[in-house]
Amino acid sequence: MFLTTDHFNEIINCCQNSPIGKQLPNALYVHRSAINYLEMILQEYEQKARITDNIEQATIVKFNTDKPKISYLFYPNFDLDPHPELTLSIVVNLETQQASYWDYTETNNPPILHRKETFVTADYPHHEIFEHLTYIEEKLGLLKLTRSIGTKLEWEQRLNRYRLIFEGHYLACLRPLNSSEILPVEIERHKAAIVRKSLSRPVRLALESSLFVPETSFFDYGCGHGGDIERIATAGYESTGWDPYYRPDAPKNSANIVNLGYIINVIEDLKERREALIKAWELTQRILIVAAQVLIDDRDRGVVAYGDGIITSRNTFQKYYEQEELKAYIDQVLNVDAIPAGLGIYFVFKDEAEAQTFRVSRFHSRAATPRIIVETKRFEDYELILQPLMDFHTERGRLPINGELELENEVQLKEQFRTFKQAFKVILQVTNEEDWDMITQKRRQDLLLYLALSTFSHRPKMRELSPKVKQDIKSLFGSYNSACLLADAMLYQVGNLEIIAGLCQNSPVGRKLKNSLLIHITALESLETLLRLYEGCASRTVGRLEEANLIQFSWRIPKITYLFYPDFDTNPHPTLHTKMQIELGNLRVNYSDYSQDENPPILHYKDSLVTSDYPLYETFAKLTQQEQDLGLLEDYYKINRLQGWLQCLAANRIIINQYDLQQQKDDLID
């Protein structure tokens, strides 16, 4: 191949200015997945080097800038190994069109890779994991004097000096070889206890989930300073607790609800950690709350790797779990199917029927009892005893069977109408029958959603369901088998992104973005059941971001994103506070915090995110129309961040006070 000096200089210039790849003085290194993102001249240049068949399997492409050569480097375990070993190098001379081969499979000291995130693009599936590892290694000083860590043996020597090993892409300290060895540091667990001014997240979520009923007893295992004990007692429940440091002499009481909040993640001893979980479960009569730190939290503030976690700057231990890892740990130790309530928070039920009732309730959509459209003397005479029947049908989408209504009400209905069916005929005389049919259909869809999602862990047998749920299925589907077949058919469809894309693009509610649909969380129940199932694949397994008020459905890749805008109602253009993305293929969680960002994403078109019956819909719609009329929303990419929006308002001399949009007039000149 004839290569002019000017052409090669152009190649060198492109390599040195490439925003993609790892730059070294005499070369640019690029992962094979990033080749198509390079300048076209580099892509064409690289294509001319493909003179042997097995080049396609190369992991890294090296563009030499001192000579017209391209090297193809093979790292078979690039994704899995935090520092993969080189097994083969093929160097192609573009002037002579000859290839040279170097095989490293027989050497005991092959070259290895560091800073893997620099070779790939930002959207590479493991980019954030690679980047996080590099950050930690830099903090610990492992990447200093890079010339002495470029091969396997040199790198292992440095790790040994620091007594470090790898758990996947996370660093951990080598544990003592035997129990007689002295630990490198004494952990002060009690310092992990926090003095709270309000209920902890796990206990607050249990209250909000209506798990506390009259006469509920509560026990806090590892209560720390006892804030949850005091606040639950103030709420009117029997409340006690124990802590090995702050309340060592308190009795360990069994209770309806036991809280093991952020305890297992501060115990550095694996055996002791397991024992704490088992003991708390033994004290539980109904529900165990388990909470632990998860990896999306900031694990980078002055920490040193230790055991299978870290030691903080306060000399406390923290084990950071992946969300799914935490569930797997609870399930394995207790032989249960823990239910996610939020990030790092799980509810574990003693009674399987109660667990399934709780699962069903999480997919129970709202429905209003159909209004009275005509008045009849017969209905007016019996309205008081008919109302509970109407409420029951609204709640469950069917008529009750004997024993499901309060005894007194049931007796009264049968005295006056003989059967529930006859009583309901009187209700149909004054309401729209189609409204009741819609409620029934909604309850059918709720149950299908629950049954479809139950396949991801343990679909219950019919006998494991509560009596009311059993009757729901019998009345609404005829049989449990029929309901399960319909649920499985729906679940089969949810994996088809073309179907998901079609439903998103044709949704009557939500803002259609390039590859996604954005809705307010209150609009979720109005979506097609298949889209609710798509979101449920994330929320059932991982849990939602608790404060989230927006949900984004991606259809280019299977992904659900939860977004939190703290002042959605009060601020005409709220800024993004936090975001959590869940990749449905591997349930990987990515968390972003914009609370300290000077230029966070900002929200427009709020009326498109909610249903028309949302309390502020008209207010939102009026503002959007005014902004469109003034041309403020035309350049979306300029105004989708706070600073760009403020510049747009200033350039157009616009002031927005609450939802009142005013245009400043030019100053008058005499």
Side-chain angles (χ1 to χ4, degrees):
M1 171 188 174
F2 178 72
L3 193 66
T4 66
T5 301
D6 288 344
H7 188 201
F8 188 56
N9 286 338
E10 192 174 357
I11 297 294
I12 295 171
N13 184 60
C14 285
C15 287
Q16 293 173 341
N17 293 285
S18 174
I20 297 167
K22 183 174 183 177
Q23 297 275 359
L24 287 180
N26 297 315
L28 171 69
Y29 294 78
V30 180
H31 189 270
R32 66 187 178 203
S33 65
I35 293 294
N36 292 335
Y37 293 85
L38 296 176
E39 292 283 347
M40 187 55 66
I41 186 173
L42 290 181
Q43 294 186 45
E44 294 172 350
Y45 179 66
E46 187 272 330
Q47 282 293 323
K48 291 180 170 62
R50 293 175 174 262
I51 60 175
T52 64
D53 294 335
N54 55 354
I55 276 177
E56 292 290 340
Q57 303 302 315
T59 315
I60 303 293
V61 178
K62 174 186 175 183
F63 293 83
N64 291 270
T65 54
D66 54 351
K67 295 180 181 179
K69 293 181 179 181
I70 289 182
S71 302
Y72 293 92
L73 310 175
F74 293 71
Y75 295 90
N77 294 319
F78 181 82
D79 284 342
L80 299 177
D81 191 331
H83 296 282
E85 302 173 9
L86 180 65
T87 60
L88 176 66
S89 171
I90 302 175
V91 181
V92 177
N93 187 315
L94 278 88
E95 288 186 325
T96 64
Q97 287 290 291
Q98 292 181 333
S100 303
Y101 294 75
W102 281 268
D103 188 343
Y104 293 88
T105 55
E106 299 301 322
T107 179
N108 65 344
N109 192 27
I112 61 170
L113 279 185
H114 300 280
R115 304 180 188 273
K116 291 195 296 181
E117 76 284 354
T118 61
F119 300 101
V120 299
T121 56
D123 61 353
Y124 189 76
H126 306 295
H127 180 272
E128 289 190 17
I129 293 176
F130 298 166
E131 190 175 53
H132 178 265
L133 175 61
T134 296
Y135 177 85
I136 293 296
E137 289 178 340
E138 286 178 339
K139 283 288 186 182
L140 295 174
L142 295 173
L143 302 183
K144 294 178 180 178
L145 302 174
T146 55
R147 289 185 179 180
S148 60
I149 58 171
T151 60
K152 178 182 178 181
L153 294 180
E154 291 172 326
W155 177 240
E156 288 178 349
Q157 288 172 4
R158 182 165 294 188
L159 292 177
N160 288 336
R161 285 201 303 272
Y162 283 78
R163 292 181 60 77
L164 291 171
I165 59 172
F166 281 96
E167 295 289 342
H169 278 73
Y170 296 98
L171 281 163
C173 258
L174 285 166
R175 301 188 65 78
L177 297 177
N178 55 64
S179 59
S180 64
E181 286 194 55
I182 299 174
L183 287 173
V185 65
E186 181 180 350
I187 305 300
E188 299 176 274
R189 293 182 195 167
H190 64 281
K191 288 186 177 180
I194 298 173
V195 178
R196 303 182 188 276
K197 296 181 179 179
S198 59
L199 279 172
S200 64
R201 285 174 55 242
V203 178
R204 174 175 55 81
L205 285 175
L207 274 171
E208 292 173 354
S209 300
S210 302
L211 298 184
F212 284 80
V213 296
E215 308 303 322
T216 293
S217 58
F218 172 78
F219 182 78
D220 198 351
Y221 191 100
C223 60
H225 297 282
D228 282 342
I229 298 173
E230 296 172 5
R231 292 178 180 90
I232 289 297
T234 302
Y237 302 99
E238 179 188 338
S239 182
T240 56
W242 169 85
D243 188 89
Y245 186 86
Y246 294 99
R247 300 193 184 196
D249 298 325
K252 295 179 183 176
N253 299 324
S254 63
N256 300 134
I257 297 178
V258 174
N259 178 44
L260 189 68
Y262 305 108
I263 300 301
I264 60 174
N265 54 279
V266 300
I267 301 175
E268 73 282 1
D269 184 272
L270 296 175
K271 181 180 178 183
E272 213 175 322
R273 187 187 307 163
R274 181 185 180 92
E275 288 175 352
L277 181 57
I278 293 173
K279 287 178 181 177
W281 181 238
E282 290 172 348
L283 295 174
T284 303
Q285 296 172 1
R286 284 182 51 231
I287 304 158
L288 174 65
I289 308 168
V290 182
Q293 297 286 355
V294 292
L295 281 170
I296 63 162
D297 288 352
D298 184 1
R299 61 183 282 149
D300 305 331
R301 292 170 293 182
V303 300
V304 178
Y306 180 84
D308 61 349
I310 59 170
I311 297 174
T312 71
S313 57
R314 299 173 63 219
N315 213 28
T316 62
F317 175 83
Q318 288 287 353
K319 158 69 175 172
Y320 286 87
Y321 290 88
E322 295 279 4
Q323 177 80 351
E324 269 295 274
E325 177 194 5
L326 177 58
K327 174 174 167 54
Y329 180 70
I330 298 168
D331 290 355
Q332 181 268 323
V333 173
L334 303 181
N335 191 27
V336 295
D337 183 15
I339 301 174
L343 282 173
I345 302 172
Y346 285 88
F347 297 153
V348 189
F349 289 79
K350 282 281 186 176
D351 180 67
E352 182 61 26
E354 186 177 5
Q356 297 306 330
T357 298
F358 178 75
R359 290 186 189 277
V360 172
S361 71
R362 302 178 77 190
F363 303 106
H364 195 73
S365 55
R366 293 167 297 168
T369 300
R371 62 186 182 88
I372 309 301
I373 55 177
V374 296
E375 296 288 347
T376 66
K377 176 67 173 156
R378 184 164 172 76
F379 178 79
E380 290 177 355
D381 289 344
Y382 298 107
E383 184 171 1
L384 285 178
I385 64 171
L386 289 171
Q387 189 62 50
L389 183 60
M390 297 170 69
D391 294 341
F392 185 93
H393 197 292
T394 302
E395 177 70 14
R396 313 211 68 89
R398 62 175 175 85
L399 293 176
I401 60 173
N402 292 338
E404 289 190 315
L405 293 180
E406 290 187 5
L407 180 60
E408 182 180 356
N409 180 237
E410 189 171 312
V411 170
Q412 290 174 329
L413 286 170
K414 289 188 175 180
E415 284 179 351
Q416 299 298 328
F417 304 101
R418 291 189 301 109
T419 65
F420 294 136
K421 188 173 182 179
Q422 289 298 116
F424 196 67
K425 285 183 178 180
V426 176
I427 296 171
L428 292 178
Q429 293 173 7
V430 298
T431 57
N432 190 333
E433 186 171 357
E434 291 182 358
D435 292 341
W436 294 106
D437 291 340
M438 288 178 62
I439 290 174
T440 296
Q441 182 60 22
K442 181 175 284 193
R443 297 296 171 241
R444 281 174 56 89
Q445 297 304 313
D446 291 346
L447 282 171
L448 286 177
L449 185 59
Y450 154 71
L451 289 171
L453 290 170
S454 69
T455 60
F456 288 113
S457 54
H458 161 68
R459 176 174 285 173
K461 294 179 170 49
M462 186 68 162
R463 65 174 181 273
E464 294 174 330
L465 301 173
S466 69
K468 279 189 177 179
V469 176
K470 289 178 184 176
Q471 190 58 41
D472 290 342
I473 291 172
K474 182 179 179 180
S475 298
L476 299 177
F477 297 98
S479 71
Y480 187 54
N481 187 53
S482 297
C484 290
L485 288 174
L486 290 171
D488 289 340
M490 189 167 66
L491 190 61
Y492 178 77
Q493 286 186 301
V494 82
N496 188 326
L497 290 182
E498 289 185 7
I499 296 177
I500 297 300
L503 292 174
C504 287
Q505 291 162 350
N506 293 302
S507 173
V509 63
R511 177 158 171 72
K512 283 82 171 179
L513 304 175
K514 184 178 180 180
N515 294 303
S516 62
L517 173 71
L518 185 66
I519 67 163
H520 192 269
I521 198 166
T522 57
L524 179 62
E525 294 173 2
S526 68
L527 298 182
E528 289 286 339
T529 308
L530 201 59
L531 287 181
R532 290 177 63 198
L533 177 59
Y534 188 64
E535 185 274 335
C537 292
S539 62
R540 188 203 182 281
T541 307
V542 177
R544 293 176 185 151
L545 181 67
E546 289 117 66
E547 306 93 340
N549 42 20
L550 264 61
I551 306 175
Q552 186 173 358
F553 297 74
S554 299
W555 65 70
R556 185 175 64 85
I557 58 174
K559 180 173 67 178
I560 292 291
T561 304
Y562 299 102
L563 307 104
F564 174 42
Y565 291 85
D567 47 0
F568 180 84
D569 283 346
T570 56
N571 188 337
H573 294 282
T575 56
L576 182 61
H577 184 279
T578 44
K579 177 178 74 174
M580 184 178 81
Q581 295 179 327
I582 302 174
E583 297 177 15
L584 299 181
N586 55 15
L587 295 178
R588 181 169 169 236
V589 177
N590 296 316
Y591 183 86
S592 303
D593 187 337
Y594 297 88
S595 59
Q596 304 301 318
D597 196 329
E598 294 182 357
N599 192 28
I602 194 169
L603 205 56
H604 303 282
Y605 299 100
K606 290 200 299 183
D607 55 303
S608 68
L609 306 174
V610 298
T611 54
S612 58
D613 60 352
Y614 190 80
L616 292 172
Y617 173 79
E618 296 295 338
T619 302
F620 295 167
K622 179 182 177 182
L623 180 65
T624 297
Q625 188 61 56
Q626 289 177 318
E627 291 173 344
Q628 286 179 322
D629 292 343
L630 291 171
L632 301 178
L633 306 180
E634 291 179 358
D635 190 349
Y636 177 74
Y637 291 100
K638 180 181 178 181
I639 64 170
N640 70 343
R641 293 268 181 167
L642 177 61
Q643 298 304 325
W645 174 241
L646 294 178
Q647 291 170 9
C648 176
L649 293 179
N652 288 275
R653 301 181 62 79
I654 297 293
I655 296 175
I656 302 178
N657 184 13
Q658 294 183 342
Y659 285 91
D660 183 22
L661 189 151
Q662 299 174 346
Q663 190 163 17
Q664 291 178 308
K665 297 180 179 179
D666 293 334
D667 296 333
L668 296 176
I669 301 176
D670 293 333

